[in-house]
Amino acid sequence: MAKSHLFFFILLVVFFFCCFSYIESSKYDQEELQWLDDKDDEISMVQSRHSSLRTCDFAKGKWVYDQTYPLYDATCPYLSTAVTCRKNGRPDSDYEKWKWKPHGCSIPRFDALDFLGRMRRKRIMLVGDSIMRNQWESLVCLVQSVVPTARKTVIYNGPTMAFLALDYEMSIEFSWAPLLVELRKGPDSKRILHLDSIEENAKYWRGVDVLVFDSAHWWTHSDKWSSWDFVMEGNNIYKNINPTVAYEKGLTTWAKWIDLNLDPRRTRVFFRSMSPRHNRENGWKCHNQKEPLEYFSRPHVPEQLLVLQKVLRRMEFPVYIQDITTMSALRRDGHPSIYARASGEKNNQQLKDHDSDCSHWCLPGVPDTWNEILNAML
């Protein structure tokens, strides 16, 4: 009898020890991942220490026509002239009414009040080139209609601009840094790209709660339209350098800054994949396109995306890729084309073969979908 009591006592001790170890382990895991919320199982995550959380791949799906779109009016006061295509004379408006439907799941419809509530007392900053500015204008327009006129404003600071929703103490910001690393003027006004210098741009990213980066187009400009005249790395200066090699070096500098300066418990970081261009090099011009393509038989994966994935895998900090490339490549109808400036139809017809913007996006339009996905990822 005494032996059986002793055996039972030992079992009880072992049981409590195991439970305590499990609780401590669970507590550690919980604290390690406390910044992840319930919706994060829908995110495609590239990082070095945690496995991918993927129950829905937002990148794969189709465009469906939806009469309830767009999500805001084309008269949004925060839109720049270059993207107000209907105001500039574009006669059709169906490009505003296409919704992205992922295979096997759905993207929650953007709710401005819900977004503002979740972003209360937070800063969200979009960093990149003019296409990221395109996305910033979209996000501001998605939100601004529910904020009273007297309780919203836009402020400017160097290369940044910020939409403030005062009652929510939150901001939606844009920071101009198309190459992420620094592009400076040298002797004779020559443009010098410094592959290992970033602080002049990065100083604006400190203290931000959500950072969304994009950098691709300025690295792909042809020799005729090159973004720089010389490239510097350390004390070495180059006239000619493989753009893909330069891109990886620049991204590596960015990645090191993120790893050394940001805390994943404080800041969440996303990197939006390359926005496609529908110009002659891609096989067509975007002028007069009225509807999306249905699919690609062989989708093209940009080399920049492969480089980005390679760099992110080497990082300690968890960075999420927002893959919008293929879905946007189907939307040849969504660009300003000849309607990037206000002019009459006669002038537009004369311009169509010479001055057609097939890089940026009409608003309302495709970037609204990028922001609906971003909202779901948050």
Side-chain angles (χ1 to χ4, degrees), residues 183-310:
L183 183 66
R184 306 177 196 160
K185 278 197 173 180
D188 301 322
S189 295
K190 295 296 184 181
R191 300 161 302 164
I192 302 175
L193 179 64
H194 294 259
L195 292 176
D196 48 9
S197 298
I198 198 169
E199 187 58 38
E200 278 302 305
N201 295 328
K203 64 185 180 184
Y204 296 100
W205 312 339
R206 299 178 188 275
V208 177
D209 299 279
V210 179
L211 282 162
V212 185
F213 290 95
D214 156 54
S215 185
H217 279 292
W218 278 47
W219 298 91
T220 62
H221 290 173
S222 63
D223 290 339
K224 183 180 178 182
W225 302 107
S226 178
S227 304
W228 58 79
D229 298 303
F230 297 98
V231 173
M232 277 198 74
E233 186 180 25
N235 294 321
N236 299 315
I237 189 164
Y238 309 96
K239 173 64 176 173
N240 298 307
I241 187 171
N242 184 311
T244 302
V245 172
Y247 184 56
E248 183 172 348
K249 288 178 179 289
L251 278 186
T252 299
T253 298
W254 165 85
K256 287 178 180 176
W257 188 92
I258 296 291
D259 276 339
L260 290 172
N261 292 278
L262 298 184
D263 181 350
R265 293 169 296 183
R266 168 74 172 82
T267 304
R268 299 177 74 178
V269 177
F270 300 84
F271 206 111
R272 199 205 69 216
S273 68
M274 185 177 187
S275 172
R277 291 174 288 188
H278 294 102
N279 52 24
R280 290 181 181 86
E281 294 172 2
N282 289 13
W284 61 71
K285 291 181 287 183
C286 62
H287 177 62
N288 252 352
Q289 301 296 333
K290 298 291 197 300
E291 59 185 29
L293 296 171
E294 289 188 20
Y295 62 90
F296 288 116
S297 56
R298 298 178 66 183
H300 171 67
V301 179
E303 188 174 15
Q304 290 79 13
L305 181 56
L306 299 177
V307 172
L308 173 62
Q309 291 171 333
K310 178 181 175 183

Side-chain angles (χ1 to χ4, degrees), residues 36-171:
L36 294 175
D37 60 28
D38 294 338
K39 292 184 180 178
D40 280 340
D41 59 352
E42 295 181 336
I43 300 172
S44 173
M45 182 165 62
V46 176
Q47 51 180 305
S48 58
R49 291 182 298 172
H50 304 301
S51 60
S52 294
L53 306 175
R54 181 180 295 179
T55 60
C56 174
D57 187 349
F58 289 135
K60 296 178 180 177
K62 64 179 180 178
W63 291 98
V64 295
Y65 192 80
D66 189 332
Q67 284 281 9
T68 67
Y69 278 65
L71 296 168
Y72 57 88
D73 194 88
T75 59
C76 172
Y78 299 97
L79 295 179
S80 55
T81 301
V83 300
T84 55
C85 301
R86 279 207 286 154
K87 185 178 178 182
N88 293 342
R90 181 166 176 168
D92 62 306
S93 61
D94 279 356
Y95 64 89
E96 299 177 351
K97 297 183 179 298
W98 293 93
K99 177 178 73 173
W100 180 249
K101 176 70 174 69
H103 297 316
C105 61
S106 60
I107 302 168
R109 188 179 178 90
F110 192 92
D111 183 324
L113 288 173
D114 173 70
F115 178 83
L116 286 168
R118 287 186 288 111
M119 292 293 108
R120 185 183 294 274
R121 298 187 183 90
K122 294 185 186 299
R123 296 172 61 196
I124 178 170
M125 178 180 282
L126 283 63
V127 181
D129 56 19
S130 57
I131 298 175
M132 188 59 95
R133 163 74 183 265
N134 214 174
Q135 185 176 353
W136 176 81
E137 292 183 12
S138 161
L139 186 56
V140 171
C141 287
L142 284 166
V143 164
Q144 67 88 26
S145 64
V146 301
V147 183
T149 302
R151 307 303 298 160
K152 60 190 174 188
T153 188
V154 173
I155 60 173
Y156 300 87
N157 177 28
T160 72
M161 58 183 71
F163 170 85
L164 307 181
L166 302 177
D167 291 333
Y168 293 88
E169 301 175 55
M170 67 83 66
S171 62

